[in-house]
Amino acid sequence: MKTMILSSLAAATVVITLGASVAQAQPRDCAGFSNRADFFSSIGLDDAAGFWSTLATECAASNWPEEDRRTVKESVRALAEEAGYERPEREVVEAAAEAAGVELPSRRPGKGKGKGKGMKGDRGDR
């Protein structure tokens, strides 16, 4: 009985350890960079599209999917500085999308301005 209990504890420890390793190593999908490039291209912002296309290529060539999120962010920041890339203002993107007849992706709750997840607001209706 003692052996079974110890075996169960050892197995649980292995499962927990493996689960933690998988949770920490969340691979980056390079397709996200390509998707941004395609979006900017579809609304005619070619400079932005070119930058994100370059990132997609660099992501695949440098094996970013195996890197941690922080390393990827630092690499993106370094490439943006090298290229002199500045993210287009939201108003510019909105105007370009409207002119091209492309619907902007919705903003995620809790991101940007407005009432979203984690924002304090009028709770009188609850």
Side-chain angles (χ1 to χ4, degrees):
M1 185 67 154
K2 196 177 203 181
T3 304
M4 283 182 60
I5 292 172
L6 290 175
S7 296
S8 296
L9 288 174
T13 302
V14 168
V15 168
I16 290 171
T17 303
L18 287 175
S21 298
V22 170
Q24 289 174 351
Q26 296 175 350
R28 177 77 164 133
D29 182 6
C30 295
F33 298 124
S34 295
N35 292 343
R36 281 195 185 191
D38 292 344
F39 169 73
F40 282 121
S41 181
S42 74
I43 62 172
L45 296 178
D46 295 331
D47 290 341
F51 173 73
W52 289 101
S53 182
T54 299
L55 283 182
T57 302
E58 186 66 26
C59 178
S62 298
N63 203 23
W64 286 358
E66 299 301 320
E67 299 292 336
D68 62 74
R69 191 170 194 83
R70 181 182 214 174
T71 301
V72 172
K73 281 185 169 188
E74 289 171 0
S75 297
V76 169
R77 190 172 295 123
L79 287 171
E81 287 176 13
E82 265 180 44
Y85 175 75
E86 290 187 30
R87 191 166 104 184
E89 295 292 326
R90 179 125 184 112
E91 294 79 22
V92 171
V93 173
E94 288 171 347
E98 186 177 329
V102 174
E103 187 175 332
L104 286 174
S106 63
R107 297 175 96 178
R108 290 181 278 169
K111 302 286 182 186
K113 298 177 183 173
K115 291 182 185 178
K117 183 177 178 182
M119 301 290 290
K120 290 183 180 180
D122 181 22
R123 298 187 184 251
D125 61 337
R126 293 183 189 179

